[in-house]
Amino acid sequence: MEQLKLLRPFRRRLLPEAILKSLIAGAIIIGALDVVVLIILHLLSTDPGWWLLIASLSAVMVLAVLLFVFKYYPRTKTLCARVDDAGLYERASTMYALRNENTYIAQMQRKDAANHLTTVDPAKVKWSVSRKSVIACIAVILSFALLSAVPYNIMEVFAEDEPPVNEAYQRLLELIQQLRDEVNAHELDEYIERDMHAMIDEFEANVQGLEDPLDMAAEISMLEDRLQRRLDRLTRDELGEALADEKQGQTPDQPQEQENAQEQEQGQNITRELGDALIAGDADAVTAALDVLREMLNNPEDERPIEERLAELSQALRAALEASETEEGDALRDALEQYTIDLDEAAEAAISEEETDINEMLDEAFASLNEAVAPALDLQLQDEGIILALLEILRQAKQEILGNEEEVEEEVPPEEVPVEEVPAEGEEGEEEPPPPEGGEEEAIEPGEEIEMLMTEPIYDPFAGSVPYGEVFAFYYAEYLEAIDKGKLDDGLTEVFDGYYGELDK
Amino acid sequence: MVNEHDLQFFSGKCNEIFNELSKDIVGQRDVLECSVIAMIAGGNVLLEGVPGVGKTRLVRSMGRVFSLPFSRIQFTPDMMPADVTGTNIIEKDESGRNQLKFQHGPIFSSIILADEINRATPKTQSALLEAMQEHTVTAGGNTYKLNEPFFVLATQNPIEQDGTYPLPEAQSDRFFFKLLMGFPSHEELINIVNMTQETDDEVASPVIDGDGLLAMRATAKEIPVIDEVLQYTAKLVTATHPELDSSPAYTKKYIRFGASPRAAQALITAAKVRALMAGRFNVAYDDINALAFPVLRHRIKLSYESITAGLDNDTVIAGLLNELNGKPADIKPIDANEPAFKKKARVGK
């Protein structure tokens, strides 16, 4: 329709308005999204740099183009309405509506509209931009600029005003991580590793929310105690010496019957020790017990036939296995069961008077036993190694938490600490180690000053004296536990309250 | 279908009509315009004005210009319906036998001046209802068709309401327009005096007859109305109803009853005539806005709040138009003497 061409000047007039509206609308939409994004970035203390501005400007451009094409471009119908506002009394709109009609009145109307369109100056068609949209655009741009100017670490600034975290608790958390790292650093058997992690998890649960360094030290001491108990197994030498002492305790002038009875009782003791060692999975103790049993077997004073002694040994081993209630598949159990079978075979060979070197058979059987037990021994060594490492870490952490300024010296592993011989009952041994200071033998009056012993550089668990700062927390924990269990009288409770209160000061 | 001749005929006759009417009526341009629009559109008009402003003269002059039979009915409180419609009378036929014959009443004319219609009883007023709407009269069981074109111009006095019977809504809704004839201005009064010093009779010459008027009516009906204007008209009439959820708060506050669908019909019909009279071949928003006053002022009932606020129908209509066009509603009471069509300058599209 020719008359529609008359609308071109008006369209050119309104194109800038459409572009402006598209840009404003795009800026409002993208700006609003940016404000939300900036708020989130501030909460996360993340600085977006320049990328957000670049991305926003690009998005505004793209959105503006889309809005221009699909919404704000002055379509003919809209254009006619805008032109009519300039005083055409809906001539243009009616002209567009009747563009496909050919009645006389429609033709007359188009002609009338065309005549009037030529008389209207396109400049009379005013731009119409919503004031609200302009205000909204300015508002989002200002908000964007304002939020961009605010430092992104504003949350941390606020956080700094908060009271500082308990340093001791921080150290405790570091300790827990150190323990876990130490366990992971060692190549441990999965069961040992699992046990270690379980103990650390339990320790972590127990220290949750603690604020008092003394309480923290008490918990550390309890963990140390637990690890120490796990480590405190009789070593081969210790067991052997204990058995040797037991043997030495026997008097030579006892009649043979008494000797046999004593030997039988000794065998039962060894068998019981062997069972306990099997339960504990202590390969060291197992081989020590077996050595004792072998020594009993090869006792030159035992005049019983070899097959009888072998049978007795085999029975003792079976009894120990049964008492231990260990299951098949247990390394030690399997090794011992095989050993008993070898012993039975040796006994049968002795009975059948075969030309077989019994001792050679026994040596081979024992060698097989040692080979089978070796993996268990390895496990035991692993266990001991990790426990010692953890104890060292715990000791150092406890000192730091308690604020001990003394230099932390390397603690000598218990294996290397010279073990003082424990004198047998009734035997006058060396002078008894002095009782620990502050013990029950000394009555401490409330308010009395107590001289702390902090001169021993090396912690000797058997020396009877120890730097007080290292054990105070443990003693205090034990005291609290005793109170909880009602093991102390009220009078003693009052004494100890005063005692520990002064120590705390 | 409308052709060039029809359009030229319409345009030429409109000018002549106004020129001739101006010879008898001084000023009142808007009333003249609306009266002619109503005549062409085929609607009835209710004229309200103080005595002596030229209501009867206008109707008589229009009768002369349109060369249509004119009849005047002066309503009084004792008037009966039969006095309007006619009645059966007994008369002797040629053979001398008595027979009933229907004597046409004054309503059997083309232009009816129903003077002071509010003085008649509602029963008598209702006699006009059928004639105004259906252009028929039923009497004695027979229905008589009235002349075409048929046009009722009723008048009523806005003062001295004592002893009058306000038109029921059903009847007032049948009036196409309600026009307010205000007191003439100083210059107009001087012109009236000078004119009537020469002669009291109407001097307007016949311009068109009934067939020509019907032709003009048919031509005006062909004027196109775009959908947006139609939507706006419907929106305007709907907005007068306070019971509707879509009506503005302004309506809910100041209007008690809204206009009937006849208002929308009258608006579009009259707008087409007005557009063509203005030389346009399309209806504009301006036509609707300008005609809203004569179409709606007698079709809406104001609420108690508007009465206590001193608002009249035209003020409320103006406020409603501003509300629909995004402007603040003008609620200031207007001068009652201000001609109705001068208010159109207040409202935009």
Side-chain angles (χ1 to χ4, degrees):
Chain A
M1 190 174 73
E2 288 296 319
Q3 287 85 354
L4 290 180
K5 292 180 185 176
L6 296 171
L7 295 171
R8 284 179 187 166
F10 299 96
R11 179 171 277 123
R12 280 196 293 272
R13 165 75 180 161
L14 291 178
L15 275 177
E17 181 204 73
I19 294 170
L20 183 62
K21 281 183 174 179
S22 302
L23 286 171
I24 289 173
I28 290 172
I29 295 170
I30 300 299
L33 287 172
D34 281 344
V35 167
V36 173
V37 169
L38 281 171
I39 289 172
I40 293 172
L41 290 176
H42 273 292
L43 290 174
L44 297 176
S45 299
T46 304
D47 187 352
W50 288 99
W51 73 264
L52 183 63
L53 180 63
I54 294 168
S56 300
L57 288 173
S58 307
V60 167
M61 289 298 134
V62 171
L63 189 60
V65 168
L66 292 173
L67 287 170
F68 176 80
V69 171
F70 291 106
K71 184 175 171 63
Y72 291 112
Y73 178 76
R75 303 272 189 281
T76 306
K77 190 174 181 181
T78 310
L79 192 61
C80 290
R82 294 291 299 275
V83 173
D84 285 333
D85 288 344
L88 286 186
Y89 293 99
E90 281 64 59
R91 284 184 172 90
S93 298
T94 308
M95 175 187 74
Y96 181 71
L98 299 177
R99 63 191 182 278
N100 296 323
E101 284 193 24
N102 288 322
T103 60
Y104 180 76
I105 198 77
Q107 291 173 14
M108 287 301 296
Q109 199 281 326
R110 282 196 289 270
K111 187 177 174 183
D112 176 53
N115 290 336
H116 279 80
L117 273 172
T118 57
T119 63
V120 176
D121 183 5
K124 275 193 175 178
V125 179
K126 302 293 181 190
W127 283 4
S128 169
V129 179
S130 164
R131 189 182 301 178
K132 286 181 184 175
S133 64
V134 172
I135 292 171
C137 183
I138 294 171
V140 292
I141 291 173
L142 284 176
S143 301
F144 181 87
L146 211 65
L147 284 171
S148 299
V150 172
Y152 286 91
N153 61 347
I154 195 74
M155 299 303 291
E156 294 171 7
V157 171
F158 286 128
E160 286 175 3
D161 293 339
E162 294 177 357
V165 179
N166 190 329
E167 290 184 4
Y169 191 73
Q170 273 298 111
R171 183 64 186 91
L172 199 63
L173 296 177
E174 289 172 9
L175 166 65
I176 292 168
Q177 191 58 43
Q178 268 181 294
L179 293 174
R180 290 211 172 97
D181 291 343
E182 188 67 25
V183 171
N184 292 333
H186 283 69
E187 291 182 4
L188 301 172
D189 178 74
E190 62 173 306
Y191 296 105
I192 296 174
E193 186 175 351
R194 182 190 61 193
D195 288 347
M196 290 299 132
H197 278 302
M199 278 197 282
I200 295 170
D201 291 341
E202 193 177 328
F203 173 68
E204 185 181 16
N206 289 342
V207 301
Q208 279 290 331
L210 291 182
E211 294 179 356
D212 189 357
L214 279 179
D215 293 337
M216 297 177 195
E219 288 294 334
I220 293 173
S221 297
M222 282 200 269
L223 178 59
E224 282 179 324
D225 184 51
R226 191 173 169 185
L227 287 170
Q228 191 64 46
R229 280 199 292 263
R230 187 181 172 103
L231 183 65
D232 280 347
R233 293 186 296 261
L234 292 175
T235 64
R236 178 189 303 192
D237 294 337
E238 289 178 353
L239 178 60
E241 289 177 4
L243 292 174
D245 291 340
E246 198 167 342
K247 281 175 68 177
Q248 287 177 5
Q250 297 174 3
T251 55
D253 296 329
Q254 288 176 349
Q256 188 62 35
E257 288 181 358
Q258 289 181 352
E259 281 186 15
N260 291 339
Q262 284 180 351
E263 283 182 1
Q264 194 175 12
E265 187 181 347
Q266 191 179 21
Q268 289 172 352
N269 288 339
I270 294 300
T271 305
R272 190 170 53 250
E273 292 293 339
L274 179 60
D276 291 342
L278 281 168
I279 292 171
D282 189 347
D284 228 2
V286 165
T287 52
L290 287 174
D291 281 345
V292 171
L293 286 171
R294 280 192 69 197
E295 286 177 10
M296 291 169 61
L297 176 66
N298 295 323
N299 189 359
E301 295 179 8
D302 191 347
E303 297 176 351
R304 292 179 296 168
I306 183 64
E307 58 270 19
E308 193 176 324
R309 283 181 275 159
L310 284 171
E312 185 183 327
L313 179 59
S314 175
Q315 283 176 7
L317 287 175
R318 286 206 169 84
L321 283 171
E322 196 173 321
S324 73
E325 296 181 351
T326 50
E327 297 177 352
E328 286 186 12
D330 184 81
L332 285 176
R333 182 191 177 88
D334 293 343
L336 279 174
E337 279 185 347
Q338 184 59 45
Y339 188 55
T340 55
I341 294 170
D342 293 340
L343 289 176
D344 291 341
E345 287 176 358
E348 286 176 9
I351 291 170
S352 62
E353 296 180 352
E354 292 178 6
E355 296 181 355
T356 311
D357 189 344
I358 303 299
N359 285 328
E360 190 179 336
M361 285 182 71
L362 291 175
D363 288 339
E364 284 179 4
F366 197 74
S368 300
L369 175 65
N370 275 332
E371 270 185 36
V373 166
L377 253 176
D378 285 341
L379 289 178
Q380 187 170 335
L381 288 173
Q382 281 183 17
D383 208 349
E384 289 176 359
I386 186 62
I387 288 174
L388 290 172
L390 294 180
L391 282 172
E392 174 61 24
I393 294 171
L394 287 169
R395 187 185 69 83
Q396 192 168 346
K398 189 165 66 178
Q399 283 190 343
E400 290 178 19
I401 286 172
L402 288 174
N404 194 331
E405 296 181 350
E406 285 190 357
E407 290 183 4
V408 177
E409 298 184 2
E410 287 188 6
E411 181 182 346
V412 179
E415 292 176 344
E416 300 176 3
V417 172
V419 179
E420 293 187 4
E421 292 183 358
V422 179
E425 280 189 20
E427 186 178 292
E428 289 183 305
E430 299 176 355
E431 61 181 15
E432 293 179 0
E437 290 188 13
E440 294 180 3
E441 292 185 4
E442 293 185 8
I444 309 296
E445 296 298 325
E448 184 178 346
E449 290 186 0
I450 303 187
E451 186 179 349
M452 301 286 287
L453 270 185
M454 310 233 339
T455 56
E456 298 288 337
I458 297 175
Y459 172 39
D460 181 356
F462 299 102
S465 66
V466 63
Y468 209 91
E470 295 178 11
V471 298
F472 172 74
F474 175 71
Y475 286 151
Y476 188 62
E478 292 288 313
Y479 163 64
L480 292 176
E481 188 177 342
I483 290 178
D484 288 341
K485 292 180 180 176
K487 291 185 177 179
L488 292 179
D489 297 333
D490 291 341
L492 276 177
T493 304
E494 194 177 331
V495 170
F496 280 112
D497 274 343
Y499 169 64
Y500 282 110
E502 289 303 315
L503 289 178
D504 191 16
K505 289 177 187 176
Chain B
M1 296 297 286
V2 170
N3 54 36
E4 184 180 356
H5 173 264
D6 295 331
L7 292 175
Q8 287 176 352
F9 176 80
F10 187 100
S11 176
K13 290 299 179 186
C14 273
N15 290 332
E16 288 183 41
I17 291 169
F18 279 112
N19 290 339
E20 291 300 321
L21 286 174
S22 298
K23 292 178 182 177
D24 289 335
I25 308 296
V26 177
Q28 308 287 357
R29 181 68 187 186
D30 295 337
V31 173
L32 282 180
E33 183 183 343
C34 282
S35 299
V36 172
I37 289 173
M39 280 286 287
I40 297 172
N44 306 302
V45 173
L46 178 62
L47 275 174
E48 187 174 283
V50 293
V53 293
K55 297 187 294 294
T56 306
R57 189 177 180 89
L58 170 64
V59 176
R60 291 164 63 92
S61 181
M62 287 178 72
R64 290 173 63 86
V65 168
F66 286 99
S67 305
L68 293 171
F70 168 78
S71 117
R72 178 181 176 177
I73 305 173
Q74 181 64 50
F75 284 84
T76 57
D78 60 345
M79 181 173 280
M80 302 298 286
D83 296 333
V84 175
T85 59
T87 188
N88 287 320
I89 59 173
I90 300 173
E91 70 175 19
K92 290 187 184 302
D93 61 6
E94 293 174 354
S95 61
R97 290 168 63 185
N98 290 334
Q99 63 179 5
L100 283 173
K101 183 182 178 183
F102 181 73
Q103 181 74 42
H104 288 183
I107 204 168
F108 284 87
S109 185
S110 288
I111 299 179
I112 310 298
L113 172 59
D115 222 347
E116 294 188 273
I117 191 173
N118 56 335
R119 287 201 175 274
T121 60
K123 184 177 178 181
T124 307
Q125 292 171 1
S126 64
L128 276 176
L129 276 176
E130 183 188 359
M132 287 170 63
Q133 187 63 34
E134 296 166 29
H135 296 183
T136 57
V137 170
T138 302
N142 298 320
T143 299
Y144 302 91
K145 195 161 173 54
L146 298 172
N147 299 332
E148 287 292 344
F150 180 78
F151 183 56
V152 174
L153 262 161
T155 66
Q156 61 182 27
N157 195 337
I159 59 177
E160 289 185 346
Q161 297 285 332
D162 295 337
T164 62
Y165 301 91
L167 287 174
E169 185 185 345
Q171 185 158 11
S172 62
D173 188 44
R174 282 171 166 76
F175 284 100
F176 197 77
F177 283 160
K178 179 179 178 181
L179 304 177
L180 303 177
M181 288 190 79
F183 197 81
S185 64
H186 179 76
E187 288 74 22
E188 290 171 351
L189 185 59
I190 291 173
N191 290 337
I192 290 171
V193 169
N194 289 334
M195 185 177 69
T196 51
Q197 288 301 308
E198 293 177 9
T199 176
D200 282 336
D201 296 330
E202 295 81 21
V203 297
S205 303
V207 172
I208 192 171
D209 59 5
D211 292 335
L213 183 60
L214 292 173
M216 290 176 75
R217 188 178 295 174
T219 302
K221 274 190 177 178
E222 294 291 319
I223 297 301
V225 182
I226 57 175
D227 190 56
E228 286 79 4
V229 174
L230 208 58
Q231 298 279 348
Y232 176 75
T233 305
K235 189 178 173 184
L236 172 62
V237 174
T238 307
T240 63
H241 288 261
E243 71 275 11
L244 297 177
D245 294 336
S246 57
S247 61
Y250 184 85
T251 300
K252 295 182 195 299
K253 186 176 181 182
Y254 292 118
I255 299 177
R256 191 176 169 199
F257 296 111
S260 71
R262 287 200 185 96
Q265 294 171 329
L267 277 170
I268 293 297
T269 307
K272 288 184 178 182
V273 176
R274 185 176 187 270
L276 199 52
M277 284 170 64
R280 272 185 283 113
F281 300 99
N282 61 272
V283 174
Y285 293 108
D286 186 68
D287 297 323
I288 305 297
N289 290 336
L291 293 167
F293 295 94
V295 168
L296 294 177
R297 64 165 60 99
H298 61 290
R299 289 186 165 98
I300 62 172
K301 294 290 184 285
L302 298 185
S303 66
Y304 182 73
E305 276 195 59
S306 55
I307 295 171
T308 54
L311 306 178
D312 61 0
N313 292 44
D314 282 0
T315 308
V316 172
I317 292 168
L320 188 60
L321 287 172
N322 283 338
E323 184 88 11
L324 289 179
N325 288 283
K327 297 181 182 180
D330 183 7
I331 60 171
K332 293 178 183 176
I334 61 171
D335 184 3
N337 289 328
E338 187 177 9
F341 275 87
K342 289 194 177 178
K343 297 180 186 62
K344 70 179 178 182
R346 295 188 193 180
V347 301
K349 183 175 76 70

